Amino acid sequence: MFEDKSVAGPATHVLIVGVGDYPHLPGGASEVKARFDDGMKQLSSPPASARAFADWVISHLSSPVRPLATVELLLSEPNLAYSPPARGGRKAPDAVAGPAAVQAISDAALRWKARGDAEPGSLLIFYFCGHGFSKGTDFALVASDFGGNAGLPMLGLIDLPRFLAGMIDCGSTDQCYFIDACRTATGSLIEMNNYQGNTLVQKLGAVTPGVAQCVYYSTLGGTRAHGRKGRPSFFTQALLKALAGVAASNDDGDWRVKTARLFEALAHLMLNFPAPGRKVQSPQSGSQVQFELHRIQGDPELPFLVGFAEHAGPRPPSAISSILFRQAGADVSAYPATVPPLPRPCDWRPDVFETWLSAGETEMVLSRADGDVAIERHSLQPPGKTLKGK
């Protein structure tokens, strides 16, 4: 989807996979049906999630020490479609590699690893969204052609732990993996005598000294991941907000997103912004090492939430008449909305006021129906601020 051949030296290489169309699962177009489906059906969120992640990477990912060089995308959906955004005047043709069958994913992973071998010091990012299932510590990702071979009923699985093991001899040590898939237990892996699928790549040499693999799972082991029909998943939405600034720190002078802060931001967003009508989905980190992913231009956008003791519902408490936020002496956000509207919206969710503001000193003015006005000053810093019991 994107290639900048002018980049010389260490670079960033991204491989993205979004699998929603499974021809051999219930609801799929093929007459050949999977012997084991474990309740898996067609999905519409993973292709939308993969496109959203690709959009953000191509449009925003920034690193002066490891510029973006390649983005490869594989999608599986009934009607393949993706129009990549422009970056620096470079716009790829509107073409998508698909379907996201296991061999196509393996071929792409081998190219991705080769790019890391060619220029040590590069950053490698892998993103997968689609079906997944587990047995203990084993974890299989499901490619689009799963179930298409009656004699090899588990063909189409990707063995994630062994894929990670196959990357430990790569010349580029900094590797980041985002896995947005269910991790529920299944009898199929037990049935197939511990076969978890294709490893995508294989370890061919000695372990590269200093190899650092950061792995982020969208949910805990044994639990489901969630999304909304035709829209990016809840984990991917949180991931994009985290990368855009909620995971940033300015310890180095400018705002940078590093891997250790990223998990904190993901957990904060998924705890405080749960899926409507669902329980909180908790992300998990398989390993944590520290390296830089992204640098932000300007100040990051951060959530500011204000809740009230023992109150939740479609409307704010009747005792509250308005809430106003100021930064640098200017009104920036308010509820109810003003005329003309302020630059940042402020909405009432079923339990809190929610607004997104730039990092920095913030003044909150809370007006009550009895005429009382409370003014508070807060330093808004990543991952954001949550005030409850006001």
Side-chain angles (χ1 to χ4, degrees), residues 289-381:
V289 239
Q290 176 86 322
F291 53 81
E292 182 180 316
L293 289 174
H294 170 56
R295 295 193 190 183
I296 295 170
Q297 306 300 316
D299 292 325
E301 298 290 301
L302 306 173
F304 199 129
L305 307 180
V306 183
F308 300 86
E310 301 179 359
H311 180 83
R315 286 174 290 277
S318 57
I320 304 300
S321 60
S322 68
I323 188 169
L324 172 70
F325 298 90
R326 293 190 182 115
Q327 290 187 316
D331 296 349
V332 291
S333 180
Y335 184 96
T338 61
V339 179
L342 294 177
R344 311 295 177 89
C346 181
D347 298 312
W348 173 258
R349 296 200 289 135
D351 51 355
V352 293
F353 286 114
E354 174 189 336
T355 189
W356 286 71
L357 307 172
S358 297
E361 298 305 311
T362 303
E363 186 176 83
M364 182 184 75
V365 182
L366 189 65
S367 300
R368 300 183 182 273
D370 61 8
D372 182 54
V373 176
I375 300 176
E376 298 181 4
R377 291 173 177 80
H378 299 275
S379 178
L380 183 59
Q381 299 294 323

Side-chain angles (χ1 to χ4, degrees), residues 177-227:
Y177 300 82
F178 300 109
I179 309 300
D180 193 356
C182 292
R183 300 174 70 191
T184 47
T186 175
S188 294
L189 291 180
I190 299 173
E191 186 77 17
M192 296 311 296
N193 298 317
N194 297 318
Y195 173 74
Q196 281 82 248
N198 192 308
T199 63
L200 299 187
V201 303
Q202 292 183 0
K203 177 179 174 293
L204 301 176
V207 175
T208 304
V211 65
Q213 293 182 333
C214 280
V215 186
Y216 301 89
Y217 299 102
S218 63
T219 190
L220 299 173
T223 63
R224 293 185 178 276
H226 300 288

Side-chain angles (χ1 to χ4, degrees), residues 45 180 182 218-219 223-228 232-236 275 278-281:
S45 182
D180 193 356
C182 292
S218 63
T219 190
T223 63
R224 293 185 178 276
H226 300 288
R228 283 176 284 190
S233 71
F234 299 110
F235 172 79
T236 297
R278 295 187 184 274
K279 294 182 179 179
V280 172
Q281 180 180 322

